[in-house]
Amino acid sequence: MNRTQFAGESSEQLDEGDIGRMLRELLLAYARGQRVETIAVVGNAPMAPDAARAALIDGSDLVFRMTTFALDEPAAEPTYGRRTDVVVIHRGVVVSPYTFADYTSRLYLLAEPGRLFWEPETLPDWWPADLGFVPISNREFVLPLSELLGLSRDEHVWATTGTLVTYLCRQLFPDALVRLTGVSIIERPDQTDFEHAWGDKVGVTAEHRLHAESKLLSTWRDSGRIEIIQ
């Protein structure tokens, strides 16, 4: 895939909703059997071994992972699963050994809410030279999610990547079962650090409002819009 900005903010020639339809068709191409009835959104929080959970992740029609994620090694107890169809990344990511492994078989989506304010368009030096990406449209996804969270469009605030991906899946595949796992926000909205399944913990940055995200994710869970897998 060539580097493209068809889903970015420069695509003013596209009508309302075209970006979503195009992204949905692209995601379908990476799904098992080109259908999406079940989706796994796998966050980066550490999880205890659980073979049933790992099988549920790998058995989904479409598996999303984010930024500095971990995968099960062949000899390890099943925990996180191994299947990865879509990777959602941002320019400030700390790259794990799995982030770009087998990247030619995956779709890479670039979350760039900082482009609304200060973030440059240039890619980091560590980005593979032959890897294309599709930006997640701020207009179609980031800003509407911010409104749901009660965040101001004028402040440097936006959702974490996991909540953004969950929202994107619900918008693009409203009839699919979306399972969210590997997240700590719902139970721990007061945390100041994110523990990662791979690598060191990282601080919760100033642009996030975890209490708002915890409330929204809990509402989606309680209404059946998503399923939380521990």
Side-chain angles (χ1 to χ4, degrees), residues 25-210:
E25 291 175 4
L26 184 56
L27 289 167
L28 279 169
Y30 284 82
R32 185 195 306 269
Q34 284 70 62
R35 72 173 190 276
V36 177
E37 297 176 359
T38 56
I39 301 173
V41 178
V42 187
N44 295 331
M47 295 186 285
D50 187 321
R53 183 212 303 122
L56 196 66
I57 292 170
D58 287 344
S60 299
D61 294 327
L62 197 59
V63 180
F64 287 78
R65 298 186 192 265
M66 282 149 282
T67 59
T68 312
F69 61 88
L71 298 176
D72 290 338
E73 293 293 339
E77 288 188 81
T79 303
Y80 305 101
R82 293 191 55 81
R83 181 145 165 252
T84 307
D85 302 308
V86 185
V87 178
V88 183
I89 200 167
H90 54 72
R91 290 177 176 83
V93 68
V94 177
V95 179
S96 81
Y98 311 100
T99 303
F100 291 120
D102 195 26
Y103 66 83
T104 57
S105 68
R106 302 167 174 172
L107 174 63
Y108 282 75
L109 301 182
L110 185 65
E112 47 182 3
R115 290 286 304 282
L116 292 166
F117 302 102
W118 48 262
E119 189 174 41
E121 186 175 0
T122 55
L123 291 171
D125 293 339
W126 42 255
W127 192 279
D130 60 342
L131 174 62
F133 66 89
V134 176
I136 296 176
S137 171
N138 288 328
R139 183 183 69 226
E140 292 287 324
F141 300 106
V142 173
L143 291 176
L145 176 56
S146 291
E147 290 182 359
L148 286 177
L149 292 168
L151 305 181
S152 170
R153 288 176 173 237
D154 299 324
E155 294 185 56
H156 295 196
V157 289
W158 50 79
T160 59
T161 307
T163 301
L164 174 60
V165 173
T166 305
Y167 174 74
L168 182 147
C169 291
R170 292 304 317 146
Q171 294 299 108
L172 297 182
F173 300 100
D175 297 324
L177 172 58
V178 178
R179 297 185 174 110
L180 176 62
T181 191
V183 297
S184 57
I185 291 173
I186 296 176
E187 302 300 329
R188 296 178 54 211
D190 292 316
Q191 64 188 294
T192 57
D193 296 296
F194 287 134
E195 297 282 351
H196 276 190
W198 183 92
D200 298 331
K201 64 183 179 181
V202 298
V204 178
T205 51
E207 63 266 16
H208 300 316
R209 300 292 182 268
L210 300 191

